[in-house]
Amino acid sequence: MKIVFEKRHELPKHKALLTATLSLGIAAFVGAGIFVVCGVDPVKAYLVMLAGAFGSVLGASEVVVKAIPLMFTGLAVALAANMVLWNIGCEGQFVFGALGATWAALYLTPGWPSYAVLPSVIFCGAAAGMIWALIPAIFRAYWQVNEILTTLLLNYVAIILMDHLYFGPWRDPAGFGFPGTTAFPDAATVPRFFGTRIHLGLFIALGIAAVLHFLLHRSKWGFRIRVIGKGAAAARYAGLQMNREILVVMALSGALAGLAGMTEVAGIHFRLQEGVSVGYGYDGIIVACLAAF
C-alpha cells in the first residue's frame, strides 16, 4: 500500500483567518515604523486616523460612501475571477457606466414621467458597463485573446472618451469653463439616506452580493462557473458551453462595474465631471483579493 501526500488546493478557514490577521499586523507594524522614522508617535497617529474615519457621524458615513463603488467593482472582479477570468478593465467599465447614466439623465429621459427616469438611469449605467466588458469577452471567447491586456488597455480608451465628452459636446455651456456636464434633474438622482451622502447604491450592492453568493454556491449556473474556473479542459470534456459562459460572466462583471460609475454620477456628483474616475476599478482588484473571491 502506497501513501501519497498531496498539497491542499484550498486553504483551511482558520489558516486563512490567521493569514489575514498576520497581514494586517505586519502592515500596521511597517506603518508604525514609518511614523517613527518621521518622528511621529505611531499610537497617536493611528488614533488620529481612526478618529477621523469613525470618530463622527460624518466621518463614518463618508467611509461608507467611499466603500459603495468599491463594493461594486470588488464584486465585478470577484465574479469574473471565479471563472479565472481576470477583468482588469473595471475602471473603463466604471467610466462607461457613468457615461451611460449621464446620457440617460440628460439626453434620453427629459420629458419622461418622473417614476421612469431613475430606473432608466440605473439600467443605462449597467448596460453601458456591460457593453464595454463584452468587447474583450468576445475576443477572449472566440479568438483566445488574453483578457488581461484587452481589459486593461480599454480603460484608457474609456477615460479619453469621457474627457472628450465633458470637455466637448457634453460640456455645460453655463459652467464658466468648468469641465463637466449640466446637473442631473432631481428625478435622475439616487436617493440619499440618514441626512448623509450614503445613497441607494449601498443597498443595491449589498443585495447583489447576497444574490451572487447564492448563485455561485447554490445554483447550477454557479456550479458550471466554478467547474470551468477549476478545470477548463475537464469542463470542455463535460460539454459545458465555455464561450457562452465567458460572455455571460464578463457581461455581468461589466454591469456591476457600470453600476459603480452610475452611483457616483447620480448619487454623489449629480453630473459627469472631472474627478469622477479616481481608480475605483483598480482598487476593486485589491478588494476582491482581500475577500478571497
Side-chain angles (χ1 to χ4, degrees), residues 2-16:
K2 184 178 180 180
I3 299 176
V4 179
F5 292 94
E6 293 187 4
K7 184 178 180 180
R8 285 180 180 266
H9 294 289
E10 295 183 3
L11 193 66
K13 289 185 178 180
H14 69 278
K15 288 190 176 181

Side-chain angles (χ1 to χ4, degrees), residues 5 12 16 29 44 75 90 98 125 158 191 194 222 242 252:
F5 292 94
F29 180 77
K44 183 178 180 180
L75 288 170
C90 285
F194 318 120
M242 297 279 291
L252 291 175

Side-chain angles (χ1 to χ4, degrees), residues 24-269:
L24 180 61
I26 292 171
F29 180 77
V30 172
I34 294 173
F35 284 129
V36 170
V37 170
C38 295
V40 177
D41 181 357
V43 175
K44 183 178 180 180
Y46 280 129
L47 289 175
V48 169
M49 292 168 62
L50 288 172
F54 303 105
S56 65
V57 173
L58 175 62
S61 67
E62 285 301 302
V63 171
V64 175
V65 168
K66 291 297 182 183
I68 294 171
L70 294 177
M71 292 169 67
F72 281 112
T73 55
L75 288 170
V77 174
L79 173 60
N82 271 275
M83 198 172 157
V84 194
L85 289 172
W86 305 111
N87 184 7
I88 313 299
C90 285
E91 186 72 6
Q93 295 146 26
F94 172 99
V95 166
F96 253 72
L99 294 179
T102 302
W103 175 76
L106 299 181
Y107 302 102
L108 175 65
T109 59
W112 286 24
S114 58
Y115 62 81
V117 174
L118 183 57
S120 300
V121 169
I122 295 173
F123 173 80
C124 288
M130 179 184 295
I131 290 170
W132 200 241
L134 277 173
I135 298 173
I138 291 170
F139 279 89
R140 173 67 172 81
Y142 295 103
W143 296 290
Q144 282 68 56
V145 178
N146 190 306
E147 73 278 2
I148 296 176
L149 296 176
T150 51
T151 55
L152 176 62
L153 294 175
L154 283 172
N155 288 339
Y156 302 101
V157 178
I159 293 171
I160 290 171
L161 176 60
M162 178 179 66
D163 289 348
H164 166 70
L165 290 173
Y166 65 60
F167 272 105
W170 287 6
R171 190 171 186 167
D172 181 6
F176 302 101
F178 181 81
T181 66
T182 56
F184 287 9
D186 291 340
T189 59
V190 175
R192 293 179 176 180
F193 303 101
F194 318 120
T196 67
R197 297 205 304 167
I198 296 174
H199 52 73
L200 183 63
L202 172 64
F203 304 101
I204 296 175
L206 291 173
I208 291 175
V211 170
L212 283 179
H213 178 77
F214 174 81
L215 290 176
L216 288 172
H217 298 281
R218 295 289 187 271
S219 72
K220 292 181 180 179
W221 176 75
F223 178 73
R224 292 198 302 269
I225 296 304
R226 289 184 288 114
V227 167
I228 293 171
K230 291 181 182 296
R236 289 192 189 94
Y237 183 78
L240 298 182
Q241 298 294 321
M242 297 279 291
N243 292 349
R244 182 187 66 187
E245 299 300 352
I246 289 173
L247 295 177
V248 169
V249 168
M250 283 294 290
L252 291 175
S253 178
L256 289 170
L259 285 172
M262 180 279 299
T263 58
E264 281 298 292
V265 293
I268 299 299
H269 303 288

